[in-house]
Amino acid sequence: MTFLPPIFVTHLFHDITQRLVTLLRSLNADEWHRQTVSSQRQVKDIASHLLDGSLRRLSMQRDGYFPQDGSSQPRENETLLDFLTRLNAEWEVATRRLSPQVIVSLIEWADAQMIELFESLDPFGPAIFPVAWAGEQQSMNWMDVARDYTEKWHHTQQIFEATGRPSTITERRLFHPCLDIFMRALPFTFQNVDAPDGTVVSITIRGDAGGGWFVVRSGQEWVQVLEATGKPTANVTLTQDSAWKLFTKRLDQAEALRGFPDIQIAGDDDLCRRVIEMVSVMA
């Protein structure tokens, strides 16, 4: 079996940030307050969320700063998901006082420094944050940076869709890495699924940015491979547009099939359901 190689995306952050900034600077006052199609937040809230991610990373990873009041840690009995949801909400409420112009300028300023930080990292060194949705207790920097890229890509695409602007980030060079990173959640998604040794699950994403991904049952675990030799026991096929939306939501199979009628499933229904319910974000 040939296992998947690392995904290096640091060089793509210049483009993705530039296209986000260009988009935001083109918006009128009404567009800043439109609700995004793929979430319950307004465009301005999404932009603020992206700014928060860059500023928090610079503060913690580059500067080693953590608030002394413990506000950067989960509260007692607070799950990681609830903690992140609370942090996001607190930041978005506070930054509603900021003008769109200020937010855009801060994004441009913070991202330039964040890119410098990413460029300084050893890709195979230990990351400051584990990628929990991939089931990692300790991640390498390349995976943590890749996770950050999916955040930047999918939230920028949400803004394109909310404002009806033609997207400038759906070319394969920028879009495929995002999908490829999302699919790294497959082994964790299947971790508690029992199946005969050699069972293959195949996922096909149609479109210029798409491709094929496979997980195989090997011994007592599921592993992700570049190619699978056996016939898939289950196959899920969907378009690239549905893929990024599906894997950034929390939907059960019935909801997903209603919301994304292009999804096609074949073979073992339970294995297909696991793919459809995969989530490649935290909050």
Side-chain angles (χ1 to χ4, degrees), residues 155-169:
H155 285 312
T156 300
Q157 184 63 13
Q158 285 177 336
I159 296 172
F160 274 115
E161 292 209 344
T163 57
R165 305 298 179 91
S167 178
T168 63
I169 63 170

Side-chain angles (χ1 to χ4, degrees), residues 2-136:
T2 304
F3 300 103
L4 273 63
I7 304 171
F8 301 116
V9 294
T10 297
H11 64 290
L12 299 177
F13 274 88
H14 291 281
D15 271 1
I16 203 75
T17 293
Q18 181 183 45
R19 297 180 193 206
L20 169 64
V21 167
T22 298
L23 168 63
L24 293 177
R25 284 189 171 144
S26 75
L27 302 182
N28 60 40
D30 173 70
E31 290 170 324
W32 271 93
H33 296 284
R34 288 187 186 176
Q35 183 172 313
T36 58
V37 176
S38 304
S39 78
Q40 299 303 308
R41 294 181 285 189
Q42 294 183 357
V43 167
K44 189 167 181 284
D45 293 331
I46 294 293
S48 294
H49 172 65
L50 288 172
L51 172 62
D52 181 32
S54 299
L55 292 175
R56 268 198 283 164
R57 183 178 286 276
L58 287 170
S59 297
M60 288 187 285
Q61 187 169 11
R62 187 193 65 183
D63 303 337
Y65 179 78
F66 295 85
Q68 294 182 353
D69 62 1
S71 59
S72 64
Q73 300 296 323
R75 296 169 178 167
E76 186 177 359
N77 298 322
E78 189 174 42
T79 67
L80 178 59
L81 178 58
D82 289 341
F83 166 62
L84 293 174
T85 300
R86 175 173 60 82
L87 282 188
N88 292 340
E90 289 172 352
W91 174 266
E92 288 164 16
V93 169
T95 53
R96 285 173 188 165
R97 304 169 186 169
L98 302 182
S99 70
Q101 292 85 348
V102 166
I103 290 174
V104 177
S105 295
L106 287 174
I107 288 174
E108 191 170 36
W109 175 83
D111 278 18
Q113 295 182 68
M114 187 179 71
I115 292 168
E116 289 182 1
L117 170 63
F118 287 162
E119 291 172 341
S120 74
L121 298 175
D122 173 3
F124 299 103
I128 188 173
F129 305 118
V131 182
W133 53 255
E136 296 187 348

Side-chain angles (χ1 to χ4, degrees), residues 84-256:
L84 293 174
T85 300
R86 175 173 60 82
L87 282 188
N88 292 340
E90 289 172 352
W91 174 266
E92 288 164 16
V93 169
T95 53
R96 285 173 188 165
R97 304 169 186 169
L98 302 182
S99 70
Q101 292 85 348
V102 166
I103 290 174
V104 177
S105 295
L106 287 174
I107 288 174
E108 191 170 36
W109 175 83
D111 278 18
Q113 295 182 68
M114 187 179 71
I115 292 168
E116 289 182 1
L117 170 63
F118 287 162
E119 291 172 341
S120 74
L121 298 175
D122 173 3
F124 299 103
I128 188 173
F129 305 118
V131 182
W133 53 255
E136 296 187 348
Q137 300 300 313
Q138 173 67 67
S139 298
M140 293 184 183
N141 282 322
W142 70 260
M143 182 61 173
D144 184 30
V145 171
R147 179 259 307 276
D148 209 288
Y149 182 80
T150 67
E151 282 285 300
K152 185 76 70 177
W153 191 96
H154 94 266
H155 285 312
T156 300
Q157 184 63 13
Q158 285 177 336
I159 296 172
F160 274 115
E161 292 209 344
T163 57
R165 305 298 179 91
S167 178
T168 63
I169 63 170
T170 53
E171 62 187 84
R172 182 176 177 84
R173 185 176 66 89
L174 296 176
F175 192 0
H176 178 77
C178 181
L179 295 174
D180 198 14
I181 298 158
F182 281 158
M183 302 307 285
R184 297 300 172 104
L186 280 168
F188 180 58
T189 300
F190 279 84
Q191 65 172 338
N192 295 321
V193 178
D194 193 20
D197 196 57
T199 297
V200 177
V201 179
S202 170
I203 301 89
T204 302
I205 298 179
R206 302 194 306 273
D208 292 341
W213 289 265
F214 307 91
V215 282
V216 179
R217 182 71 172 178
S218 178
Q220 299 300 310
E221 62 180 352
W222 290 88
V223 295
Q224 196 165 6
V225 295
L226 280 175
E227 296 180 355
T229 55
K231 181 180 178 181
T233 303
N235 179 260
V236 176
T237 302
L238 68 168
T239 63
Q240 60 187 33
D241 188 58
S242 292
W244 78 264
K245 294 173 183 174
L246 177 65
F247 299 134
T248 56
K249 288 180 176 288
R250 298 181 186 275
L251 302 176
D252 62 30
Q253 180 172 316
E255 291 175 310

